[in-house]
Amino acid sequence: FCLENTDPRTRGRGIQLLSQVLLQCYSLLQEKEVLHLVLFYESRLQDHHLVIPAVLQGLRALSMCEVLSPGLAVSVLKAIFQEVHVQSLMQLDRHTVYSIITNFMSTREEELKGLGANFTFGFIQVMDGEKDPRNLLVAFQIVRDLIAKDYALGPFVEELFEVTSCYFPVDFTPPPNDPHGIQREDLILSLRAVLASTPQFAEFLLPLLIEKLDSELQSAKLDSLQTLTACCAIYGQKELQEFLPSLWSSLRREVFQTASEKIETECLAALHALSACLSRSVLSSDSEDLLDSFLSSILQDCRHHLCEPDMKLVWPSAKLLQAAAGASLRTYHRITRSVLPLLLEQYTKHTQSSQRRTILEMLLGFLELQQKWGHVEEDESTLLSLQAPVCSVVFSALLDPSVQLQLVGIKALTVLGSLQGFLSSSDLELVVDHLIRLALHEEDSQSSEAAMEAAGSLAPTYPKVFSGRMVPRLEEELQSGRAGKGESYHNHHRLQQRCLQALAAVSTHTSIVRETVPVLLQHLQKVQKGTEVRNTQDMVSVCQSLHRVALQSQQDAEGCWYFHQTVVPCLLAMAVQAAMPESTHTLPGKALLEEEVLAAMIPVISAATTHLSPELAAQSVSRVVPLFLDGEVSFLPQNNFPSSFQPFGDGECLEAQRRLVALLMAFVCSLPRNVAIPQQEWLLRELLALSCSCNCPFTATTAAKCFAGLVNKHPAGQQLDEVLQLAVNRMEASLAEGPCRMQALTLLLWVTKALVLRYHPLSSCLTDKLLGLLGDTELGPAAADGFSLLMAESPDVLHKGCHADVRIMFRQRFFTDNVPKLVQGFHGAGPDVKANYLKGLSHVLNHLPKPVLVTELPTLLSLLLEALSCSDRVVQLSTLSCLHPLLLEAPQIMSLHVDTLVTKFLNLTSSPTMAVRIAALRCAHALTSLPTTVLLPYKGRVIRALAKPLDDKKRLVRKEAVAARGEW
């Protein structure tokens, strides 16, 4: 009835119902049914305009049918092209037409190609005048497919270009709260893919790009440059030939005149792409060499600027030359042949260090491009023919008093060294001598550090030269005797420090590591036997150097094992020797047992262990654990100790030996998880007893950390449950009363952390115990600080680097489980312990990922504001550092509390603690990111209040006050 009704609205509703049914069931239709429906719908395209949208929906459903008879797709599209004026339809209906075309192009490609250029012309008519970004994205994709799938464009290339290029450059700003999420960048990239999809567009596109490059609009320039770069990937000489002079003129002008870094970068990228495109083009014998003439233009316009005494256009010219030179080996040779001799001549001509530095930096840019092409080719390379003057210039820079020139010289030296075959053996010896001089004797630390880095990067390329020339010289300097007192002593000490750093820096190849490690260990033994006051610091310095060598050796299996089996037994032997009762009363023995030195040894042993293969790690653990449990010292070098080694034994005389549990922790907690630890249950019991009973806080803490590290990796099962139950019983007893409550709390924190990281069921029970301790007047503050330990990354144990079992998002899970309990505890706590709950909460929030924190902000903000009134400065600092990013990331929520925030921050700017004053001023500064209408009522008050910290006695406070007040 509806389909035959004389009222077009009723007919439209009938067709709409049929189309909706077809959209649900098009996959169930048979071939005859599809044919019948297609013919019906095609005839309806001639109906009243009110009916057309429903007809198009039906055709969209039919375009998805797999049983569509051959020829029907062409028939449908012809009917649409002839009968429908697409651009007069609503956006959704136009989108339906594009969908029909897309569906047919993906399933009936050969049929559509049978239409020849008529199909392209039909589509051009459909698209012409489209304005909606949603439809444009689909239309651009159709054009890309037309070109990529080789549809016939016939005489309509220019029309197809015109119908798409009219949108260039894209000028679109998405409306606020746009549900479709289409950004300007999406349209730009989609249109660029069309314009840069075929060389057939070149004759129309390149004049358009040149025109837009000459416009005043920065976005148009950027878009044009990026499109030009994209086009160069598919163009050849033929397409570019006519437009090269204009393109070069525009690019040169922009680089010489622009104030925009973005535009300069894109110009250089476009020049690089043009040069690369011309380099790729295969020349026929009679064609002109466009690359050569193009590079000649560039040299002609840029080369003379390198000689100008005021050096105004030096950098823009050098950048243009380098962009072209980096395009291919051919462009590199052509440009360096002309430019390098000129730069060397200019370096000699100028005498000022600043000018020489500029010239050397340009030279360095060209040298770095040579690295791209690898080996220096003898026949073509300009660089090889200029070897002597290049080396002379670089070596002269290293001798210059200007630190900035030295630094550029060191960079250039590193690049020359990386070019295989460039430096002769005598040059290499000179390079090493310069690096030693700069590393050890140069006053400025920047040059010294840069020389060490350069030695480290060149050593793997020339290991024999560095191990044969540099290492012996460093060893000699290191072993030279002490020098006097006062200034000379200070200089000598600095020299020794630098020797240690240089030995570590150069250890970037296994053959060199075999030379440097014995030197470092020998020096450590020498320091241990000495009687100097600086012993502790010297030992720490050696350990820091050993740590660097360990890190550099990790990726090489041979170097890693050599370092481990040489260094770990030696350090253990020295520590055991120092801990023997006979030697503890002498000064040098004590230095090695000091907390600072042991703390420096921990990362050395850890880094030497983490990257071992399971087989080698098992070999090592079978020696180290018996050393601590059974006193088995036979594997240590120089192992004739005066008495036995019993770190887990009783008695005050063994206090020094117990400190060495720190080294056991460094070793066993860094082993891969699949390495079995001998006598593990016994070891865990000993560590548990030591952590709860030892009076020395350092020893008790390291024992607790070692216990926690082992528990974290222990396979789940009965053995682990028994060990944990034993630990819980021991902690509960010690926490209840007695002299070891603090040690028990430390153990509780580390074991809780070990279990929280691996999502062990007992972790919630232990966290509840910790929450209970917040109400304890004696242990409460320490328990509150413990929440920071639970959430933060631990440097020596329980992190992924040492193979700990760390589950993803453990912080979020801890937050969800425990913050409600902290809030509840705070509201129920007495006034004397309320601060503990606030401190615990602020530690948890401080380590939470910011996006999670923002979502939870509304429920927690009132508590955070209360925390600012707390007298505990740790709570204040922690809360301020928590609020600072929230002011920037959640301005809408924070605006609701602006009155309280302004008052609290201004009060804290006069706190007696400098760190709190600085944090409060930073927050006051961050307040300015809130909406202006919210801030205006407070402007006068804040500016007046911030005048006071401008006179603060601390410079760092004044600096923050100036920034905050200026912003207000």
Coordinates of all heavy atoms in Angstrom, one line a residue, residues 22-83:
L22 N 16.2 -4.5 4.7 CA 17.3 -5.0 3.9 C 18.7 -4.8 4.6 O 19.6 -5.6 4.5 CB 17.3 -4.3 2.5 CG 16.2 -4.7 1.6 CD1 16.3 -3.8 0.3 CD2 16.3 -6.1 1.2
L23 N 18.8 -3.7 5.3 CA 20.1 -3.5 6.0 C 20.3 -4.5 7.1 O 21.4 -4.8 7.5 CB 20.1 -2.1 6.7 CG 20.4 -0.9 5.7 CD1 20.0 0.4 6.3 CD2 21.9 -1.0 5.3
Q24 N 19.2 -5.1 7.6 CA 19.3 -6.2 8.6 C 19.6 -7.6 8.0 O 20.3 -8.4 8.6 CB 18.0 -6.3 9.4 CG 17.7 -5.1 10.3 CD 18.7 -4.9 11.4 OE1 19.2 -5.8 12.0 NE2 19.0 -3.6 11.7
C25 N 19.1 -7.8 6.7 CA 19.1 -9.2 6.2 C 19.7 -9.3 4.8 O 19.4 -10.3 4.1 CB 17.7 -9.7 6.2 SG 16.6 -8.9 5.0
Y26 N 20.5 -8.3 4.4 CA 21.0 -8.4 3.0 C 21.8 -9.6 2.7 O 21.9 -10.1 1.6 CB 21.9 -7.1 2.7 CG 23.1 -7.0 3.5 CD1 24.3 -7.6 3.2 CD2 23.1 -6.2 4.7 CE1 25.4 -7.5 3.9 CE2 24.2 -6.1 5.5 CZ 25.4 -6.7 5.1 OH 26.5 -6.6 5.9
S27 N 22.5 -10.2 3.8 CA 23.3 -11.4 3.6 C 22.5 -12.6 3.3 O 23.1 -13.6 2.8 CB 24.2 -11.6 4.8 OG 23.4 -11.8 5.9
L28 N 21.2 -12.6 3.6 CA 20.4 -13.8 3.4 C 19.7 -13.8 2.0 O 19.0 -14.8 1.7 CB 19.3 -13.8 4.5 CG 19.7 -13.7 5.9 CD1 18.6 -13.6 6.9 CD2 20.6 -14.9 6.3
L29 N 19.8 -12.7 1.2 CA 19.1 -12.7 0.0 C 19.7 -13.6 -1.1 O 20.9 -13.9 -1.1 CB 19.1 -11.2 -0.6 CG 18.4 -10.2 0.3 CD1 18.6 -8.8 -0.3 CD2 16.9 -10.4 0.4
Q30 N 18.8 -14.0 -2.1 CA 19.3 -14.8 -3.2 C 19.5 -13.9 -4.4 O 19.0 -12.8 -4.5 CB 18.2 -15.9 -3.5 CG 18.1 -17.0 -2.4 CD 17.0 -17.9 -2.5 OE1 16.4 -18.0 -3.6 NE2 16.6 -18.5 -1.5
E31 N 20.2 -14.5 -5.4 CA 20.6 -13.6 -6.6 C 19.4 -13.0 -7.3 O 19.4 -11.8 -7.6 CB 21.4 -14.5 -7.5 CG 22.1 -13.7 -8.6 CD 23.0 -14.5 -9.5 OE1 23.4 -15.6 -9.1 OE2 23.4 -14.0 -10.6
K32 N 18.3 -13.8 -7.5 CA 17.1 -13.3 -8.2 C 16.5 -12.2 -7.4 O 16.0 -11.2 -7.9 CB 16.1 -14.4 -8.4 CG 16.5 -15.3 -9.6 CD 15.4 -16.3 -9.8 CE 15.7 -17.3 -10.9 NZ 14.7 -18.4 -11.0
E33 N 16.4 -12.4 -6.1 CA 15.8 -11.4 -5.2 C 16.6 -10.0 -5.3 O 16.0 -8.9 -5.4 CB 15.8 -11.9 -3.7 CG 14.9 -13.1 -3.6 CD 15.0 -13.7 -2.2 OE1 16.1 -13.6 -1.6 OE2 14.1 -14.3 -1.7
V34 N 17.9 -10.2 -5.3 CA 18.8 -9.0 -5.4 C 18.5 -8.2 -6.7 O 18.3 -7.0 -6.7 CB 20.3 -9.4 -5.2 CG1 21.1 -8.1 -5.4 CG2 20.5 -9.9 -3.8
L35 N 18.5 -9.0 -7.8 CA 18.2 -8.4 -9.1 C 16.9 -7.6 -9.1 O 16.8 -6.5 -9.5 CB 18.2 -9.5 -10.2 CG 17.8 -9.1 -11.6 CD1 18.8 -8.1 -12.1 CD2 17.7 -10.3 -12.5
H36 N 15.9 -8.3 -8.6 CA 14.5 -7.7 -8.6 C 14.5 -6.4 -7.8 O 14.0 -5.4 -8.2 CB 13.6 -8.7 -7.9 CG 12.1 -8.3 -8.0 ND1 11.4 -8.3 -9.2 CD2 11.3 -7.9 -7.1 CE1 10.2 -7.9 -9.0 NE2 10.1 -7.6 -7.7
L37 N 15.2 -6.4 -6.6 CA 15.2 -5.3 -5.7 C 16.0 -4.1 -6.3 O 15.7 -3.0 -6.2 CB 15.8 -5.7 -4.3 CG 14.9 -6.5 -3.5 CD1 15.6 -7.2 -2.4 CD2 13.8 -5.6 -2.8
V38 N 17.2 -4.5 -7.0 CA 18.0 -3.5 -7.6 C 17.2 -2.7 -8.7 O 17.3 -1.5 -8.7 CB 19.3 -4.1 -8.2 CG1 20.0 -3.1 -9.1 CG2 20.3 -4.5 -7.0
L39 N 16.5 -3.5 -9.5 CA 15.8 -2.8 -10.6 C 14.7 -1.9 -10.0 O 14.4 -0.8 -10.5 CB 15.1 -3.9 -11.5 CG 16.1 -4.7 -12.3 CD1 15.4 -5.9 -13.0 CD2 16.9 -3.9 -13.3
F40 N 14.0 -2.4 -8.9 CA 13.0 -1.6 -8.2 C 13.6 -0.3 -7.7 O 13.1 0.8 -8.0 CB 12.4 -2.4 -7.1 CG 11.6 -1.5 -6.2 CD1 10.3 -1.0 -6.6 CD2 12.0 -1.2 -4.9 CE1 9.6 -0.2 -5.7 CE2 11.3 -0.4 -4.1 CZ 10.1 0.1 -4.4
Y41 N 14.7 -0.4 -7.0 CA 15.4 0.8 -6.4 C 15.9 1.8 -7.4 O 15.8 3.0 -7.3 CB 16.5 0.4 -5.4 CG 16.0 0.1 -4.0 CD1 15.8 -1.2 -3.5 CD2 15.7 1.1 -3.2 CE1 15.4 -1.5 -2.3 CE2 15.3 0.9 -1.9 CZ 15.1 -0.4 -1.4 OH 14.7 -0.6 -0.1
E42 N 16.5 1.2 -8.5 CA 17.0 2.1 -9.6 C 15.8 3.0 -10.1 O 16.0 4.2 -10.4 CB 17.6 1.3 -10.7 CG 19.0 0.9 -10.5 CD 19.6 0.1 -11.7 OE1 19.1 0.2 -12.8 OE2 20.7 -0.5 -11.5
S43 N 14.7 2.3 -10.4 CA 13.5 3.1 -10.9 C 13.1 4.1 -9.9 O 12.6 5.2 -10.3 CB 12.4 2.1 -11.3 OG 11.8 1.6 -10.1
R44 N 13.2 3.8 -8.6 CA 12.8 4.8 -7.6 C 13.7 6.0 -7.5 O 13.3 7.1 -7.0 CB 12.8 4.2 -6.2 CG 11.8 3.1 -5.9 CD 10.3 3.6 -6.0 NE 9.8 3.4 -7.4 CZ 8.9 4.1 -7.9 NH1 8.2 5.0 -7.3 NH2 8.5 3.9 -9.2
L45 N 14.9 5.9 -8.1 CA 15.8 7.1 -8.1 C 15.2 8.3 -8.9 O 15.6 9.4 -8.8 CB 17.2 6.7 -8.7 CG 18.1 5.9 -7.7 CD1 19.4 5.4 -8.5 CD2 18.5 6.7 -6.5
Q46 N 14.2 7.9 -9.8 CA 13.6 9.0 -10.6 C 12.4 9.6 -9.9 O 11.7 10.4 -10.4 CB 13.2 8.4 -11.9 CG 14.4 7.9 -12.8 CD 13.9 7.1 -14.0 OE1 12.7 6.9 -14.2 NE2 14.9 6.5 -14.7
D47 N 12.1 9.1 -8.7 CA 10.9 9.5 -7.9 C 11.1 10.8 -7.3 O 12.2 11.5 -7.4 CB 10.6 8.4 -6.8 CG 9.2 8.4 -6.3 OD1 8.5 9.5 -6.5 OD2 8.7 7.4 -5.8
H48 N 10.2 11.3 -6.5 CA 10.2 12.6 -5.8 C 11.4 12.7 -4.9 O 11.9 11.7 -4.3 CB 8.9 12.7 -5.0 CG 8.6 14.1 -4.5 ND1 9.3 14.6 -3.4 CD2 7.8 15.0 -4.9 CE1 8.8 15.8 -3.2 NE2 7.9 16.1 -4.1
H49 N 11.9 13.9 -4.7 CA 13.2 14.1 -4.0 C 13.0 13.6 -2.5 O 14.0 13.3 -1.9 CB 13.7 15.5 -4.1 CG 12.8 16.5 -3.3 ND1 13.0 16.8 -2.0 CD2 11.7 17.3 -3.7 CE1 12.1 17.7 -1.6 NE2 11.3 18.0 -2.7
L50 N 11.8 13.6 -1.9 CA 11.6 13.2 -0.5 C 11.9 11.7 -0.4 O 12.2 11.2 0.7 CB 10.2 13.5 -0.1 CG 9.9 15.0 0.1 CD1 8.4 15.2 0.4 CD2 10.7 15.6 1.3
V51 N 11.8 10.9 -1.5 CA 12.0 9.5 -1.4 C 13.4 9.1 -1.5 O 13.8 8.0 -1.0 CB 11.1 8.9 -2.6 CG1 11.4 7.4 -2.7 CG2 9.7 9.2 -2.4
I52 N 14.3 9.9 -2.1 CA 15.6 9.6 -2.5 C 16.5 9.1 -1.3 O 17.1 8.0 -1.4 CB 16.4 10.7 -3.2 CG1 15.6 11.1 -4.5 CG2 17.8 10.4 -3.5 CD1 15.5 10.0 -5.5
P53 N 16.4 9.7 -0.1 CA 17.3 9.2 1.0 C 17.0 7.8 1.4 O 17.9 7.0 1.6 CB 16.9 10.2 2.2 CG 16.5 11.4 1.5 CD 15.8 11.0 0.3
A54 N 15.7 7.4 1.4 CA 15.4 6.0 1.7 C 15.8 5.0 0.6 O 16.3 3.9 0.9 CB 13.9 5.9 1.9
V55 N 15.8 5.5 -0.6 CA 16.2 4.7 -1.8 C 17.7 4.4 -1.6 O 18.2 3.3 -1.8 CB 15.9 5.4 -3.1 CG1 16.5 4.6 -4.3 CG2 14.4 5.6 -3.3
L56 N 18.5 5.4 -1.3 CA 19.9 5.3 -1.2 C 20.3 4.3 0.0 O 21.2 3.5 -0.2 CB 20.6 6.6 -0.9 CG 20.5 7.6 -2.1 CD1 21.0 9.0 -1.7 CD2 21.4 7.1 -3.3
Q57 N 19.5 4.3 1.1 CA 19.8 3.4 2.2 C 19.6 1.9 1.7 O 20.4 1.0 2.0 CB 18.8 3.6 3.3 CG 19.2 4.9 4.2 CD 20.5 4.8 4.9 OE1 21.1 3.7 5.0 NE2 21.0 5.9 5.3
G58 N 18.6 1.7 0.9 CA 18.3 0.4 0.3 C 19.4 0.0 -0.6 O 19.9 -1.2 -0.6
L59 N 19.9 0.9 -1.5 CA 21.0 0.6 -2.4 C 22.3 0.3 -1.6 O 23.1 -0.6 -2.0 CB 21.2 1.7 -3.4 CG 20.1 1.8 -4.5 CD1 20.3 3.1 -5.3 CD2 20.1 0.6 -5.4
R60 N 22.5 1.0 -0.5 CA 23.7 0.7 0.3 C 23.6 -0.8 0.8 O 24.6 -1.5 0.8 CB 23.7 1.6 1.5 CG 25.0 1.4 2.4 CD 25.2 2.6 3.3 NE 24.3 2.6 4.5 CZ 24.6 1.9 5.6 NH1 25.7 1.3 5.8 NH2 23.7 2.0 6.6
A61 N 22.4 -1.2 1.3 CA 22.3 -2.6 1.7 C 22.6 -3.6 0.6 O 23.3 -4.5 0.8 CB 20.9 -2.8 2.3
L62 N 22.0 -3.3 -0.6 CA 22.2 -4.2 -1.7 C 23.7 -4.2 -2.2 O 24.2 -5.2 -2.7 CB 21.3 -3.8 -2.9 CG 19.8 -3.9 -2.6 CD1 18.9 -3.3 -3.6 CD2 19.4 -5.4 -2.4
S63 N 24.4 -3.0 -2.0 CA 25.8 -3.0 -2.5 C 26.7 -3.9 -1.6 O 27.8 -4.2 -2.0 CB 26.3 -1.5 -2.4 OG 26.5 -1.1 -1.0
M64 N 26.2 -4.3 -0.5 CA 26.9 -5.3 0.4 C 26.6 -6.7 0.1 O 27.2 -7.6 0.7 CB 26.7 -4.9 1.9 CG 27.2 -3.5 2.3 SD 27.1 -3.2 4.0 CE 25.4 -2.7 4.2
C65 N 25.7 -7.0 -0.8 CA 25.3 -8.4 -1.1 C 26.4 -9.1 -1.9 O 26.9 -8.5 -2.9 CB 24.0 -8.4 -1.9 SG 22.6 -8.0 -1.0
E66 N 26.8 -10.3 -1.5 CA 27.8 -11.0 -2.2 C 27.2 -11.6 -3.5 O 28.0 -12.0 -4.4 CB 28.4 -12.2 -1.3 CG 29.3 -11.6 -0.2 CD 29.8 -12.7 0.7 OE1 29.8 -13.9 0.3 OE2 30.3 -12.4 1.8
V67 N 25.9 -11.8 -3.6 CA 25.3 -12.5 -4.8 C 24.8 -11.6 -5.8 O 24.0 -11.9 -6.6 CB 24.1 -13.4 -4.3 CG1 24.6 -14.6 -3.5 CG2 23.1 -12.6 -3.6
L68 N 25.4 -10.4 -5.8 CA 25.0 -9.3 -6.8 C 25.4 -9.8 -8.2 O 26.6 -10.1 -8.4 CB 25.7 -8.0 -6.5 CG 25.2 -6.7 -7.0 CD1 23.9 -6.4 -6.4 CD2 26.2 -5.6 -6.8
S69 N 24.5 -9.8 -9.2 CA 24.8 -10.3 -10.5 C 25.8 -9.3 -11.2 O 25.8 -8.1 -11.0 CB 23.5 -10.3 -11.4 OG 22.6 -11.2 -10.7
P70 N 26.7 -9.9 -12.1 CA 27.6 -9.0 -12.9 C 26.8 -7.9 -13.6 O 25.8 -8.2 -14.2 CB 28.3 -10.0 -13.9 CG 28.1 -11.4 -13.2 CD 26.8 -11.3 -12.4
G71 N 27.4 -6.7 -13.6 CA 26.8 -5.6 -14.3 C 25.9 -4.8 -13.5 O 25.6 -3.6 -13.8
L72 N 25.4 -5.3 -12.4 CA 24.4 -4.5 -11.5 C 25.1 -3.4 -10.8 O 24.5 -2.3 -10.7 CB 23.7 -5.4 -10.5 CG 22.6 -6.3 -11.0 CD1 22.0 -7.1 -9.9 CD2 21.6 -5.5 -11.7
A73 N 26.4 -3.6 -10.4 CA 27.1 -2.5 -9.7 C 27.2 -1.3 -10.7 O 26.9 -0.1 -10.3 CB 28.5 -3.0 -9.3
V74 N 27.6 -1.6 -11.9 CA 27.8 -0.5 -12.9 C 26.4 0.2 -13.1 O 26.3 1.4 -13.2 CB 28.3 -1.1 -14.2 CG1 28.3 0.0 -15.4 CG2 29.8 -1.5 -14.0
S75 N 25.4 -0.6 -13.2 CA 24.0 -0.1 -13.5 C 23.6 0.8 -12.4 O 23.1 1.9 -12.6 CB 23.1 -1.3 -13.6 OG 21.8 -0.9 -13.6
V76 N 23.8 0.4 -11.1 CA 23.4 1.3 -10.0 C 24.2 2.6 -10.0 O 23.6 3.7 -9.8 CB 23.7 0.5 -8.6 CG1 23.6 1.5 -7.4 CG2 22.7 -0.7 -8.5
L77 N 25.5 2.5 -10.2 CA 26.3 3.8 -10.2 C 25.9 4.7 -11.3 O 25.8 5.9 -11.1 CB 27.8 3.4 -10.2 CG 28.4 2.8 -8.9 CD1 29.9 2.5 -9.1 CD2 28.2 3.7 -7.7
K78 N 25.7 4.1 -12.5 CA 25.2 5.0 -13.6 C 23.9 5.7 -13.3 O 23.8 6.9 -13.5 CB 25.0 4.1 -14.9 CG 26.3 3.9 -15.7 CD 25.9 3.1 -16.9 CE 27.1 3.0 -17.9 NZ 26.8 2.1 -19.0
A79 N 23.0 4.9 -12.6 CA 21.7 5.5 -12.3 C 21.9 6.7 -11.3 O 21.3 7.7 -11.4 CB 20.8 4.4 -11.7
I80 N 22.8 6.4 -10.3 CA 23.1 7.5 -9.2 C 23.7 8.7 -9.9 O 23.3 9.9 -9.7 CB 24.0 7.0 -8.1 CG1 23.2 5.9 -7.3 CG2 24.5 8.1 -7.2 CD1 24.1 5.2 -6.2
F81 N 24.7 8.5 -10.8 CA 25.4 9.6 -11.4 C 24.4 10.4 -12.3 O 24.5 11.6 -12.4 CB 26.5 9.1 -12.3 CG 27.7 8.5 -11.6 CD1 28.6 7.6 -12.2 CD2 27.9 8.7 -10.2 CE1 29.7 7.0 -11.5 CE2 29.0 8.2 -9.5 CZ 29.9 7.3 -10.2
Q82 N 23.5 9.7 -12.9 CA 22.5 10.4 -13.9 C 21.4 11.0 -13.1 O 20.9 12.2 -13.5 CB 22.0 9.4 -14.9 CG 23.0 9.1 -16.0 CD 22.6 7.9 -16.9 OE1 21.4 7.5 -16.8 NE2 23.5 7.4 -17.7
E83 N 20.8 10.3 -12.1 CA 19.5 10.8 -11.6 C 19.6 11.6 -10.3 O 18.7 12.3 -10.0 CB 18.7 9.5 -11.3 CG 18.4 8.6 -12.4 CD 17.6 9.2 -13.6 OE1 17.0 10.3 -13.3 OE2 17.7 8.7 -14.7

